[in-house]
Amino acid sequence: MIDVLYFAWVRERIGLPRERVETGAATVAGLVKELCAREERYAAAFADISALRVALDQELADFDAPLAGVREVAFFPPMTGG
Amino acid sequence: MIDVLYFAWVRERIGLPRERVETGAATVAGLVKELCAREERYAAAFADISALRVALDQELADFDAPLAGVREVAFFPPMTGG
Amino acid sequence: MRVSVQSEPFDLGAEVASFTAGAAGAGAVVSFTGIVRPDGGLTGMEIEHYPGMTGKAIQAILAQAVDRWKLVDGLVIHRHGRLAPGETIMMVATAAPHRGDAFAAAEFLMDYLKSRAPFWKKESRDGGESWVAAKDSDEDALKRW
Amino acid sequence: MRVSVQSEPFDLGAEVASFTAGAAGAGAVVSFTGIVRPDGGLTGMEIEHYPGMTGKAIQAILAQAVDRWKLVDGLVIHRHGRLAPGETIMMVATAAPHRGDAFAAAEFLMDYLKSRAPFWKKESRDGGESWVAAKDSDEDALKRW
């Protein structure tokens, strides 16, 4: 089980801020594929992966990063701080 | 008659902050030459002209600038503000 | 070295004054303040963040700046939540022996906060709400460091 | 747009706060503060200036910065006279819609004040007094603008 968090418009499109997910995916990209297969709202949120960022256990990562040992995955649009 | 002002170590070497000078010099360089001819302390202050700056009527100028119409000449080392 | 992520307003003048007074050995202090710009009919802004990551990410960015420019001290305050036009969003301050380092570190911090700290801005206008899009120019600004 | 050349100390926090509050339409405010660095056994500093020229020269530099970077506002305060280690010498503040302009204008102002505003610093140490020499690096810094 892994905690999956969504922020900003990713959160709005999926309709929830976080959920616990049972996954056998080896990488972030594999997890995204599983989520997209679930429901249209996930497919809509992840339609353009280049418009998204991912953090693994609160550190920025790539979509091909492995999920082994990861407890928290967060998906969000490019940051707009400052 | 022209007002001549000295600042920082130029003032210290010459030994006064300002004086009124009767000059027939056409340029700043001509005035410097006249001053140097007066006394050793002037020659010492103006020994290395590349280490000095000049302002004519409170605007930075070059040593070959004409003196015609100028009322105030100031000599000083490179500035160290900020 | 202090990082604060908070919803409350902060007292810019007091922060700059106490940061400067405490920066023993500094010859140069630079501060930057970001303000909600009241243009295009903006009526408000909501800043979302990632609580588990924000503080850690900013600490890491600040530690990098302090190390790289040999800062005497560094400060980042960033707000989240609901903000009105004209309100201060955030500030950074840097203190160094010389001005070049203080300026470079402050600009570096701003460029990184813009694109690498997990904040997302949503603007409210009469016509509705919209998420602020990340700018290519902000991403490009990172490349100079 | 305000320039003040003064011997009295100024209240940095109050100046930054009121400058920022008054910068209507700004999204970014940058401030720089110069401090007498207490190193090398420095016991004090005396800043001489050219009263008839200083204010005018700084006004001209500030007007150039405001025009070039489309600043909402700009501020320069510079002290002269006797200063103790740790005291603030001067400050500049710039306000602009975007951060790049506010940073560039503040750095430009500092580079010009360093080498083009008629101030001269004399340092006191136990061994005596000496005029601060202009640095080639400060003169070089002007070339980027």
Side-chain angles (χ1 to χ4, degrees):
Chain A
M1 294 287 278
I2 204 165
D3 284 310
V4 183
L5 281 64
Y6 310 109
F7 292 98
W9 58 253
V10 180
R11 172 179 54 72
E12 291 179 336
R13 283 193 200 170
I14 291 175
L16 77 179
R18 65 189 299 156
E19 59 185 320
R20 287 182 67 74
V21 171
E22 183 78 61
T23 179
T27 65
V28 175
L31 172 62
V32 168
K33 209 166 173 185
E34 286 180 5
L35 292 170
C36 286
R38 282 179 166 189
E39 279 182 62
E40 176 51 31
R41 59 197 167 105
Y42 288 95
F46 290 108
D48 178 10
I49 220 93
S50 75
L52 292 181
R53 300 290 180 267
V54 62
L56 302 182
D57 291 331
Q58 296 103 39
E59 300 255 0
L60 288 173
D62 293 318
F63 280 82
D64 57 7
L67 280 185
V70 169
R71 287 176 303 176
E72 184 173 298
V73 178
F75 294 105
F76 41 78
M79 294 86 130
T80 54
Chain B
M1 293 286 279
I2 202 165
D3 284 309
V4 183
L5 282 64
Y6 310 110
F7 292 97
W9 57 254
V10 180
R11 171 179 55 70
E12 291 179 336
R13 284 192 201 172
I14 291 175
L16 77 178
R18 64 188 303 154
E19 59 185 321
R20 286 183 66 76
V21 171
E22 184 78 63
T23 178
T27 64
V28 175
L31 173 62
V32 169
K33 211 168 173 185
E34 287 180 5
L35 291 169
C36 286
R38 283 180 166 188
E39 278 182 61
E40 176 51 30
R41 57 197 170 104
Y42 288 96
F46 290 107
D48 177 11
I49 220 91
S50 75
L52 292 181
R53 300 289 180 268
V54 61
L56 301 182
D57 291 332
Q58 298 102 40
E59 298 255 359
L60 288 174
D62 293 320
F63 280 83
D64 57 6
L67 280 185
V70 169
R71 289 176 302 177
E72 183 172 300
V73 178
F75 294 105
F76 40 78
M79 294 86 130
T80 53
Chain C
M1 215 172 105
R2 181 162 69 93
V3 170
S4 176
V5 180
Q6 60 187 55
S7 59
E8 309 75 43
F10 56 91
D11 183 336
L12 172 64
E15 293 290 350
V16 171
S18 77
F19 178 81
T20 304
V29 171
V30 169
S31 78
F32 175 92
T33 312
I35 301 159
V36 182
R37 216 160 4 101
D39 55 11
L42 190 81
T43 56
M45 179 179 276
E46 175 91 29
I47 301 180
E48 182 172 336
H49 79 123
Y50 180 175
M53 178 176 170
T54 319
K56 285 204 296 194
I58 298 178
Q59 281 284 3
I61 292 168
L62 184 54
Q64 218 181 310
V66 166
D67 183 59
R68 178 160 166 191
W69 285 282
K70 308 280 173 265
L71 299 185
V72 170
D73 200 6
L75 167 69
V76 177
I77 302 175
H78 204 303
R79 295 175 64 192
H80 58 85
R82 190 105 205 124
L83 298 173
E87 276 196 82
T88 49
I89 303 170
M90 51 79 64
M91 69 168 290
V92 308
T94 56
H98 301 285
R99 75 185 187 286
D101 290 328
F103 271 119
E107 291 200 67
F108 165 88
L109 284 170
M110 286 310 305
D111 287 346
Y112 270 80
L113 289 171
K114 278 273 168 193
S115 307
R116 293 290 182 273
F119 292 99
W120 300 275
K121 290 179 183 142
K122 190 183 215 174
E123 295 179 340
S124 302
R125 291 189 162 77
D126 283 342
E129 296 186 324
S130 61
W131 291 99
V132 174
K135 287 188 209 129
D136 288 344
S137 59
D138 284 332
E139 190 62 33
D140 290 345
L142 291 183
K143 291 180 188 147
R144 57 181 165 148
W145 304 110
Chain D
M1 214 170 105
R2 182 163 67 94
V3 170
S4 176
V5 180
Q6 60 187 55
S7 59
E8 307 76 43
F10 56 91
D11 183 336
L12 171 64
E15 293 291 351
V16 171
S18 77
F19 178 82
T20 304
V29 171
V30 169
S31 79
F32 176 92
T33 312
I35 301 160
V36 182
R37 216 159 4 99
D39 55 12
L42 190 82
T43 55
M45 179 179 275
E46 175 90 29
I47 301 181
E48 182 172 336
H49 79 122
Y50 180 174
M53 178 176 171
T54 319
K56 284 203 298 193
I58 299 177
Q59 281 283 2
I61 292 168
L62 184 55
Q64 218 181 312
V66 166
D67 184 58
R68 176 159 168 193
W69 284 283
K70 308 279 173 266
L71 299 185
V72 170
D73 200 7
L75 168 69
V76 177
I77 302 175
H78 204 304
R79 296 175 65 191
H80 58 85
R82 190 106 205 122
L83 297 174
E87 275 196 83
T88 49
I89 303 171
M90 52 79 64
M91 69 169 290
V92 308
T94 55
H98 300 284
R99 76 184 189 286
D101 290 328
F103 271 119
E107 291 199 65
F108 166 88
L109 285 169
M110 286 310 304
D111 287 346
Y112 270 80
L113 288 171
K114 279 271 167 194
S115 307
R116 292 291 182 273
F119 292 100
W120 300 274
K121 290 180 184 144
K122 190 183 215 175
E123 294 179 340
S124 301
R125 291 191 163 76
D126 284 342
E129 296 186 326
S130 62
W131 292 99
V132 173
K135 288 190 210 129
D136 288 344
S137 59
D138 284 332
E139 191 62 34
D140 290 345
L142 291 183
K143 292 179 187 149
R144 57 181 166 149
W145 304 111

